[in-house]
Amino acid sequence: MKKQKTAIIWDLDGTLWDSCDTVAAAWNDWCRANGVDQVFTPDDCRRCCGKTLPQIAEAIFPGKDRAWAEAVVNSCCDAECIPLAAHGGLLYPGEEELLPRLHERYFMAVVSNCGLGYIEAFFSGNQTGGYFDDYENAVRTAKTKGENIRLVMERNGIERAIYVGDTMGDCEAARAAGIPFLHAAYGFGSVPDAPAVHAFSEIPAAIEKMLP
């Protein structure tokens, strides 16, 4: 039976998928077509995950004109959504089987610092949209991740929730929202001393323990 007022709120990159091979290729294609002398690897993109778009622009174009750098990053992010929406990204082992089972029991939402269209690309490209009841991103609201977690909870009447993510920033966002955090240690980041899972298959038991 679904626990209507109990939610799992998810980070996206490093938690629900790894899209970085496709993202790097899309960024490189856009830069080459537009005369930007920059080449990205999938690991470059992984290091950007969890950051807001202005933070990404500062990280990959340090010292460059801020407006130019942000415009390039925004264009690259638009470009990545096209192949991702068509073909998806890499899901983690066991995820396809477990998402519908988790959705049977919990309200499910995605909250990410990504740009417009990126979460939607995850839903369409990997056929996962039916397992999530809401989503939010930093560009649409101009709010922090912690504020967006709280926003999703408030507009859906969520009484209890847990945030699942892979970085220290995710942990801090959960803390700011006043909810427990579960570290997806199979992802891209390190979060010392947080409750952790090392494979997607461990998530249901961990959540049952933290939100009985």
Side-chain angles (χ1 to χ4, degrees):
M1 180 180 297
K2 195 176 186 74
K3 299 180 179 180
Q4 294 287 356
K5 300 301 182 181
T6 302
I8 307 172
I9 306 178
W10 304 81
D11 171 54
L12 183 48
D13 290 316
T15 303
L16 287 170
W17 74 351
D18 182 348
S19 66
C20 292
D21 285 359
T22 299
V23 169
W27 287 21
N28 289 334
D29 287 346
W30 188 93
C31 287
R32 188 164 46 249
N34 290 276
V36 176
D37 186 19
Q38 188 83 18
V39 176
F40 300 97
T41 68
D43 281 340
D44 292 332
C45 296
R46 288 184 185 97
R47 285 189 285 271
C48 292
C49 292
K51 295 181 171 66
T52 62
L53 300 193
Q55 289 170 338
I56 293 171
E58 177 63 27
I60 64 179
F61 295 116
K64 298 288 188 180
D65 177 77
R66 183 179 180 88
W68 174 86
E70 291 187 14
V72 169
V73 169
N74 283 330
S75 294
C76 286
C77 289
D78 288 342
E80 75 195 15
C81 290
I82 297 171
L84 288 172
H87 306 295
L90 179 66
L91 300 183
Y92 292 99
E95 183 174 349
E96 283 188 278
E97 294 77 18
L98 288 173
L99 283 179
R101 288 170 47 191
L102 288 167
H103 189 233
E104 287 176 0
R105 297 200 65 193
Y106 303 99
F107 182 97
M108 301 252 282
V110 178
V111 172
S112 171
N113 278 338
C114 63
L116 300 174
Y118 190 73
I119 298 174
E120 295 91 333
F122 166 67
F123 290 161
S124 62
N126 288 95
Q127 294 83 51
T128 55
Y131 307 133
F132 295 91
D133 305 291
D134 200 0
Y135 65 98
E136 198 52 88
N137 68 69
V139 171
R140 187 161 68 178
T141 66
K143 295 179 181 293
T144 67
K145 184 174 281 188
E147 289 170 332
N148 280 330
I149 292 170
R150 180 51 57 181
L151 174 65
V152 166
M153 293 178 65
E154 290 174 353
R155 73 185 177 203
N156 291 288
I158 300 301
E159 297 170 351
R160 298 194 309 158
I162 187 168
Y163 190 62
V164 184
D166 66 316
T167 67
M168 182 58 73
D170 294 331
C171 181
E172 292 168 352
R175 186 179 300 121
I179 63 173
F181 172 72
L182 178 62
H183 179 214
Y186 54 82
F188 303 154
S190 175
V191 186
D193 302 322
V197 291
H198 297 274
F200 200 94
S201 60
E202 298 174 10
I203 288 177
I207 290 177
E208 183 66 26
K209 183 177 179 180
M210 296 176 73
L211 293 177

